[in-house]
Amino acid sequence: MIACNTLIRAHLSNLRCKLDLNPKPFFFPLSLRLLTSVPLCNRISSCRIRTRSFSAIPEVAPLEDESLEDLAKDTVEHLLTHQDDVARLMKMERRSGMDINSKRWFPYLDRFKCGSESLSSREVIEAVAPVLMEERKERLKRVVRNRSYSVCLVVEGLCDFGNVSATFRSADALGLQSVHVVSCDSSKRYRENRHVSMGAEKWLDIELWNSPKECFKVLKSRGYRIATTHVGMDAVSIYDMDWSRPTAIVVGNENRGISDEALELSDLHCSIPMKGMVDSFNVSVAAGIVMHHAVCDRTMHLGSHGDLNEDESQILLAEFLLRHNNSSISIANEYAKRKAHMPLIPRL
């Protein structure tokens, strides 16, 4: 026992010698020191934190390089209450009416104005595409392949910009390029809803109208039939409709539904068959269901929802490249200036 106690005391004495009972302050290497100007636990709200939702398709490189000024301007609320900004959102020149030689509506001409000069879609792509990452260019091309103007969305008289934002997000996700907003109440103040739309408004063609009559007249001139979502005896199930025809889906106010004027001017009324005790969906949910069925039906009967031809796809790709960020416009303008000073090569 005495030998054992002696051995233990010797071991503890040796261990005490190895320990530094007066440790010197420890400093992180310069590369590992915390930045005191950026607190880790405070003022989190002052930082922009991006979140990403889960989907069936894996996410690739994000498309948007935005300044805080862009974020402030491109909210759904701002766009729907500033018609000039909506017009400026679309870059390529737009048609004034239906092309008599075309069987379906496509809004853009193959021309982008740069002051006194103009660029074709091919030249826009040649100028802007090289500065984008390959992942972004491939994603833009994939989006264009799945875009269509054959089905468009019309939201009439919605009071909550959150619902408008949600329908925009669904339209973009499902491949609808054209959305129309009829008489939103811009006199009210609404919260920011960019987190609802996820920036979808940046990639859509948005048109604003003061009345259903004005909107439907133009849509019919473009070859659309007007299908208002309405619960009534004369309503056709969305599952019995021919979605290969150009169709404008109209959804109405959160409380009143479709206005009497819109019901009277529409070509048909359609509804979603209900299986429960309630007789209606939330307006943004209803819009998503109808659009999703239209895309699925078109895919089943036509092979795909996207139906742009080669020229139209090139023009829309140029449009997306110009919308990508403010630098895209500057690059295109510089390209146009160089083009203007290039000597003309005579044809042989």
Side-chain angles (χ1 to χ4, degrees):
M1 180 65 70
I2 295 173
C4 183
N5 288 337
T6 302
L7 182 61
I8 292 173
R9 282 197 298 270
H11 178 73
L12 290 175
S13 177
N14 185 48
L15 181 62
R16 190 177 295 112
C17 292
K18 292 183 178 180
L19 292 175
D20 187 354
L21 299 179
N22 297 299
K24 297 179 181 178
F26 175 75
F27 293 96
F28 284 106
L30 182 61
S31 60
L32 297 179
R33 290 183 190 176
L34 301 180
L35 299 177
T36 55
S37 60
V38 184
L40 296 181
C41 300
N42 297 325
R43 301 180 183 176
I44 292 179
S45 61
S46 65
C47 303
R48 288 184 58 219
I49 300 176
R50 288 185 179 268
T51 59
R52 182 170 293 176
S53 57
F54 292 95
S55 63
I57 301 175
E59 292 279 358
V60 293
L63 288 176
E64 297 171 289
D65 287 331
E66 300 162 305
S67 65
L68 293 177
E69 183 180 0
D70 295 329
L71 288 171
K73 286 185 177 180
D74 290 344
T75 60
V76 171
E77 178 182 352
H78 181 90
L79 289 173
L80 299 190
T81 54
H82 296 75
Q83 192 157 358
D84 289 343
D85 285 351
V86 173
R88 283 196 293 268
L89 184 65
M90 292 171 274
K91 310 301 183 183
M92 302 292 286
E93 284 194 41
R94 289 177 63 87
R95 300 181 188 278
S96 57
M98 185 75 171
D99 185 353
I100 58 174
N101 297 318
S102 177
K103 295 182 180 179
R104 55 183 174 74
W105 170 250
F106 183 75
Y108 294 107
L109 298 170
D110 191 10
R111 183 165 59 246
F112 171 62
K113 290 290 290 183
C114 301
S116 60
E117 298 295 322
S118 63
L119 299 179
S120 67
S121 58
R122 180 189 60 79
E123 290 172 322
V124 169
I125 295 171
E126 182 179 320
V128 180
V131 303
L132 269 68
M133 294 173 60
E134 285 299 322
E135 293 87 348
R136 297 190 182 188
K137 286 187 284 188
E138 288 305 313
R139 187 177 181 185
L140 285 173
K141 291 176 183 178
R142 174 174 61 80
V143 170
V144 168
R145 284 196 300 270
N146 290 286
R147 279 299 205 249
S148 175
Y149 286 90
S150 296
V151 179
C152 69
L153 175 69
V154 181
V155 294
E156 186 219 5
L158 296 188
C159 294
D160 186 350
F161 279 117
N163 284 327
V164 181
S165 299
T167 59
F168 281 11
R169 182 176 179 180
S170 296
D172 173 71
L174 292 167
L176 278 68
Q177 182 60 27
S178 178
V179 295
H180 303 258
V181 181
V182 179
S183 61
C184 263
D185 186 355
S186 61
S187 64
K188 298 180 180 180
R189 294 189 63 183
Y190 297 89
R191 67 186 185 278
E192 295 284 348
N193 287 290
R194 189 179 178 82
H195 67 285
V196 179
S197 68
M198 296 296 286
E201 67 277 4
K202 179 173 181 175
W203 307 104
L204 297 172
D205 293 358
I206 304 171
E207 295 182 69
L208 307 182
W209 308 96
N210 294 319
S211 68
K213 181 178 181 180
E214 179 189 18
C215 176
F216 292 0
K217 180 180 179 181
V218 173
L219 287 175
K220 288 182 180 182
S221 72
R222 296 174 181 177
Y224 290 98
R225 61 174 176 173
I226 311 298
T228 49
T229 54
H230 176 66
V231 179
M233 296 298 294
D234 60 343
V236 178
S237 168
I238 61 170
Y239 304 116
D240 296 330
M241 292 174 59
D242 176 12
W243 291 100
S244 63
R245 293 181 56 186
T247 303
I249 302 166
V250 187
V251 296
N253 180 269
E254 294 90 343
N255 300 314
R256 301 184 302 273
I258 300 288
S259 68
D260 292 338
E261 180 185 10
L263 288 173
E264 184 178 347
L265 294 172
S266 62
D267 297 309
L268 75 156
H269 307 156
C270 63
S271 65
I272 305 168
M274 306 295 293
K275 307 298 183 183
M277 295 296 291
V278 297
D279 60 1
S280 65
F281 288 100
N282 167 275
V283 62
S284 62
V285 173
I289 291 173
V290 178
M291 288 188 290
H292 181 265
H293 174 70
V295 171
C296 290
D297 186 86
R298 287 172 54 79
T299 302
M300 183 172 64
H301 290 97
L302 303 176
S304 68
H305 168 63
D307 59 1
L308 302 182
N309 61 37
E310 185 176 348
D311 291 338
E312 292 167 343
S313 296
Q314 180 174 277
I315 294 172
L316 187 58
L317 178 59
E319 173 72 18
F320 281 177
L321 289 172
L322 291 169
R323 292 189 195 186
H324 187 267
N325 56 28
N326 292 333
S327 299
S328 300
I329 302 297
S330 300
I331 293 169
N333 285 326
E334 287 300 319
Y335 183 97
K337 290 178 182 178
R338 293 197 303 271
K339 174 187 172 183
H341 290 89
M342 288 178 62
L344 292 176
I345 300 176
R347 294 183 179 180
L348 299 177

